[in-house]
Amino acid sequence: MTQQGVRWSADQVLALAPDTASRKAGSKLGAAGPWSGAGSSEEGTVWGLCKGSGSKPYQTIVDLADPAGAAYKCSCPSRKFPCKHALGLLLLWAGGDDTVPTVERPPDWAEQWLTGRRQRAEDKRPAGGGSSGAVADPEAARRRAEKRAERVTAGATELEQRLSDLLRGGLATAEQAGYGLWEETAARMVDAQAPGLAARVRELGSIPASGPGWPVRLLEECALLHLLDQGWLRRERLPDGLAATVRSRVGLPTAADGPPVRDRWLVLAQYDTVDAKLTTRRIWLHGADSGRTALLLSYGAAGRAPELTLPVGLALEAELAAYSGAQHRAALGERFAAPAPLPIRPPGVTTAQAAARYGEALREDPWLESVPVTLDRVVPVPDGDSWQLADADHESALPLTSAARSRPGLWRLVALSGGAPVTVFGECGHRGFTPLTAWPRGAGEAVPLC
């Protein structure tokens, strides 16, 4: 059960917004004006009626108490998750005044949804606590895996030939050929059931139009793609860990087969990346007892935000199982309590140690874009037209990535620091450092930056 006396902050609520437009719209609904019949329960459920453009108000309910995860329901037609009404209701509740009073029993419409949701969750549990699924025919599964491996091998061999043709003809031909060349090659990799190769090929197509110095960047990415091809074609000669990484990078499905680790997992950051077909949500966690850093990935198709949302700065007691061949990635298993405050921060390192940590990680995964790092006692300072995080106690710094420099979170970080050292969690890679969450001096709450 959640602790009713503990309410989320406005920053934690807004960090759940699926996009900037929802964040702005939800903020406007975070006042009492459009709401009626708002209330909350001791278990951590919040509900209310929000006046809209129609004659009937929107029925909005948020269940924060279920260890299976926060859930949202609104009668509005929005396909965003959570919608602006859910965000506005949570902001109203986070204010902590009498606008959302605690009552003994929710209204019938809210009670009906809660009962149905929890009944469905109970029905999904396997009888007797056993496994909910098993391979019906192991031999058929083995044959399918072998056939797919043959297709991937044929695709990797074809890709090697295309890379050779590109380098033999000169990189200038890539600019002249346009994006169609890469899209056709990527389609061939999809046919070969190697979605990881297809994704990297598509990335090559955008490089010739990326500005000065693109031939160097294209050559670097071609080299990494060649390395991945060769890793797959020679995977039997690789150490087990690196072979698993190659299979994962090529795009073969991997399983969360690591032993479950039960811990109090502090939610460090949550953010989405969006493309034409898929929204990917990344949630970084830190184990209070294990000291491990874990990454949860969830997806939403056709413009819908993923369902899994966790409030930055709170912690949940749960089990996580690691994926083979994927650094840090884990699957969220059984949850034992709703998110609650936990007065800890992950241990920090210097900027030089952060860069060294990324270098060490590349030995296990040469295609790794970045690693999760917490920087201790750093100050955001301008560096010409750019910005960097400088160590307060050492003469070293990390440049911010171009993506970080274009986000409003940079100015929030600058304001939070005010020229004084802060603790910052983010991703450190070859393009620089992307700050995701910061903690001010003293015992202040985590401040999301994305």
Side-chain angles (χ1 to χ4, degrees):
M1 296 296 184
T2 188
Q3 303 176 39
Q4 180 62 23
V6 176
R7 301 210 179 199
W8 296 4
S9 68
D11 283 336
Q12 289 168 337
V13 172
L14 292 176
L16 304 178
D19 51 39
T20 302
S22 296
R23 189 177 295 112
K24 291 181 179 178
S27 297
K28 294 179 180 178
L29 293 175
W35 293 97
S36 62
S40 63
S41 70
E42 291 287 351
E43 291 77 18
T45 305
V46 188
W47 60 84
L49 301 173
C50 186
K51 182 179 180 180
S53 57
S55 58
K56 292 184 178 181
Y58 296 124
Q59 297 176 339
T60 307
I61 181 171
V62 182
D63 183 11
L64 303 171
D66 194 336
Y72 313 88
K73 174 66 175 180
C74 185
S75 59
C76 75
S78 174
R79 299 181 65 190
K80 295 182 179 181
F81 191 87
C83 68
K84 63 181 182 181
H85 305 101
L87 292 170
L89 178 62
L90 285 178
L91 287 173
L92 194 66
W93 168 76
D97 55 26
D98 294 334
T99 309
V100 186
T102 302
V103 299
E104 293 184 1
R105 185 175 179 273
D108 291 343
W109 61 269
E111 181 70 33
Q112 183 179 2
W113 178 78
L114 284 169
T115 301
R117 178 173 183 269
R118 288 168 183 171
Q119 183 60 53
R120 288 191 295 273
E122 185 67 28
D123 293 342
K124 289 181 180 179
R125 295 180 181 176
S131 173
S132 59
V135 178
D137 188 345
E139 180 60 26
R142 184 190 63 80
R143 290 195 299 268
R144 287 194 298 271
E146 289 180 350
K147 184 172 293 186
R148 179 169 185 176
E150 292 174 359
R151 293 194 184 99
V152 175
T153 296
T157 303
E158 178 181 347
L159 183 55
E160 282 292 277
Q161 183 60 52
R162 295 196 176 207
L163 290 174
S164 297
D165 293 343
L166 171 65
L167 296 179
R168 189 178 298 111
L171 294 181
T173 59
E175 187 176 31
Q176 299 168 0
Y179 191 78
L181 168 67
W182 306 106
E183 187 57 40
E184 191 270 336
T185 304
R188 295 287 296 162
M189 296 305 103
V190 171
D191 293 341
Q193 293 186 289
L197 294 179
R200 299 191 76 92
V201 168
R202 288 194 178 97
E203 291 177 1
L204 294 181
S206 63
I207 294 178
S210 62
W214 69 263
V216 174
R217 293 191 292 275
L218 181 60
L219 185 60
E220 290 173 346
E221 293 301 321
C222 285
L224 285 172
L225 188 52
H226 167 69
L227 183 65
L228 183 56
D229 273 343
Q230 291 300 314
W232 171 262
L233 296 173
R234 293 168 170 78
R235 59 192 180 280
E236 293 83 2
R237 308 179 194 177
L238 300 178
D240 291 344
L242 185 56
T245 297
V246 168
R247 288 193 293 270
S248 175
R249 290 294 182 182
V250 164
L252 295 188
T254 58
D257 52 7
V261 177
R262 180 169 177 171
D263 205 339
R264 295 168 299 160
W265 298 97
L266 176 66
V267 183
L268 295 175
Q270 173 179 294
Y271 70 96
D272 295 349
T273 56
V274 182
D275 61 27
K277 298 181 179 179
L278 196 68
T279 297
T280 302
R281 174 162 295 166
R282 291 170 169 82
I283 302 177
W284 285 107
L285 305 175
H286 169 73
D289 302 318
S290 64
R292 295 175 55 176
T293 302
L295 173 65
L296 303 180
L297 294 179
S298 58
Y299 304 94
R304 295 182 65 90
E307 292 192 6
L308 180 61
T309 58
L310 296 175
V312 174
L314 299 186
L316 67 157
E317 186 175 354
E319 289 183 341
L320 264 63
Y323 279 84
S324 60
Q327 292 191 37
H328 301 293
R329 188 185 175 189
L332 183 59
E334 184 176 359
R335 282 175 265 190
F336 305 97
L342 187 64
I344 67 166
R345 300 179 184 182
V349 300
T350 66
T351 57
Q353 290 170 330
R357 184 173 295 182
Y358 176 58
E360 293 168 0
L362 287 175
R363 291 186 298 188
E364 301 295 328
D365 184 351
W367 306 276
L368 192 64
E369 291 287 333
S370 60
V371 293
V373 173
T374 300
L375 300 177
D376 189 31
R377 290 183 55 77
V378 291
V379 182
V381 296
D383 179 27
D385 295 332
S386 184
W387 283 82
Q388 60 183 4
L389 291 179
D391 275 302
D393 306 314
H394 305 84
E395 293 185 358
S396 60
L398 282 175
L400 296 188
T401 60
S402 58
R405 297 195 301 268
S406 63
R407 294 175 180 169
L410 169 60
W411 302 111
R412 173 176 283 193
L413 176 59
V414 172
L416 183 69
S417 167
V422 291
T423 300
V424 182
F425 170 78
E427 297 170 346
C428 180
H430 63 94
R431 293 184 177 90
F433 186 86
T434 301
L436 301 175
T437 305
W439 292 264
R441 293 167 292 172
E445 296 180 344
V447 177
L449 304 174
C450 53

